Amino acid sequence: LAKTTQPISMDSYEGQEVNITCSHNNIATNDYITWYQQFPSQGPRFIIQGYKTKVTNEVASLFIPADRKSSTLSLPRVSLSDTAVYYCLVGDYRGSQGNLIFGKGTKLSVKP
Amino acid sequence: NAGVMQNPRHLVRRRGQEARLRCSPMKGHSHVYWYRQLPEEGLKFMVYLQKENIIDESGMPKERFSAEFPKEGPSILRIQQVVRGDSAAYFCASSPEAGRTYGYTFGSGTRLTVV
């Protein structure tokens, strides 16, 4: 499973767009990129998953360049409730490789 | 459609006692995963189970820890003779298949405190 590197913390203000970049230089052909969000005292929540180019849902966008060695989670117009830890995960989750590998994540603090 | 249900939410045990943590996956999910999280740390994988089978237990400590996912009923993570170092949040996740398309759904966790 590919190792990921992401900033330990980020600060932002309400209404701004936030981009969190994750590096995964050793990503394998069958690996997908997944982002989770975790609030204090809660389990992680799936945000978005992608393989290449761009994926968008009602919560976020995920940008993946052609070489797939990095990815960027984009949160449009953040609010105070987006303050959380964001985890970038990379892996092929089929079969016996079903376990997710979490790093320490990026602690996003949104200020008024 | 209830999410992943974990109970109890909080569990206090004295050193040497047993702790039993329960996890009911989402309806239709047959894959269950247990993770442990220490304060200010990311989640650490412990074990991956399907109904009646342990698929991957590479993250489980060799002693005192066991897990099961019976044909009927919730998945159980059992910790025997607990020690202070077992104090952590334990999260369970489930998926309908091995996570590629749908992602994993996590419960709210059980916070174990060993006194």
Side-chain angles (χ1 to χ4, degrees):
Chain A
L1 296 171
K3 181 181 176 182
T4 60
T5 302
Q6 52 184 123
I8 292 175
S9 64
M10 293 182 68
D11 292 331
S12 183
Y13 291 92
E14 282 190 291
Q16 289 187 331
E17 178 185 76
V18 171
N19 296 308
I20 306 174
T21 297
C22 179
S23 298
H24 27 80
N25 293 318
N26 297 322
I27 190 169
T29 302
N30 292 331
D31 286 346
Y32 278 65
I33 301 157
T34 312
W35 286 80
Y36 282 81
Q37 174 193 56
Q38 186 179 27
F39 297 113
S41 301
Q42 293 188 27
R45 181 176 75 103
F46 173 85
I47 300 176
I48 198 166
Q49 186 177 70
Y51 184 80
K52 62 180 179 180
T53 61
K54 177 183 175 183
V55 180
T56 297
N57 60 25
E58 64 278 7
V59 176
S61 294
L62 178 60
F63 298 92
I64 306 168
D67 66 5
R68 305 201 324 125
K69 292 184 183 299
S70 66
S71 59
T72 299
L73 174 73
S74 181
L75 304 172
R77 297 180 299 281
V78 295
S79 63
L80 295 176
S81 62
D82 293 316
T83 294
V85 178
Y86 293 82
Y87 296 97
C88 165
L89 289 78
V90 172
D92 178 355
Y93 305 123
R94 298 172 298 179
S96 62
Q97 294 184 333
N99 53 309
L100 304 178
I101 306 297
F102 287 83
K104 293 189 176 183
T106 297
K107 190 172 185 178
L108 173 65
S109 297
V110 180
K111 303 174 182 178
Chain B
N1 182 18
V4 176
M5 303 302 292
Q6 288 190 250
N7 64 82
R9 286 296 308 272
H10 300 275
L11 182 62
V12 180
R13 284 287 178 266
R14 296 185 182 278
R15 282 178 293 171
Q17 290 184 319
E18 178 180 284
R20 280 183 179 246
L21 288 62
R22 287 177 291 278
C23 169
S24 296
M26 283 188 69
K27 185 177 181 180
H29 287 195
S30 59
H31 298 244
V32 167
Y33 315 83
W34 284 93
Y35 287 79
R36 176 165 62 177
Q37 185 174 35
L38 297 172
E40 304 300 321
E41 297 286 330
L43 284 78
K44 302 295 185 186
F45 168 77
M46 299 182 75
V47 62
Y48 163 30
L49 310 101
Q50 293 182 35
K51 282 288 188 180
E52 300 184 276
N53 289 306
I54 296 175
I55 306 302
D56 181 356
E57 55 181 348
S58 59
M60 287 280 271
K62 299 297 183 190
E63 298 177 346
R64 302 187 297 108
F65 285 72
S66 63
E68 63 177 5
F69 189 15
K71 185 176 180 181
E72 301 291 337
S75 175
I76 305 288
L77 179 67
R78 182 183 178 203
I79 311 172
Q80 295 178 290
Q81 300 173 341
V82 296
V83 300
R84 289 232 170 100
D86 296 332
S87 295
Y90 292 83
F91 291 97
C92 167
S94 72
S95 68
E97 58 182 57
R100 168 177 284 190
T101 302
Y102 301 101
Y104 292 26
T105 302
F106 281 82
S108 296
T110 293
R111 273 140 196 89
L112 172 65
T113 302
V114 179
V115 297

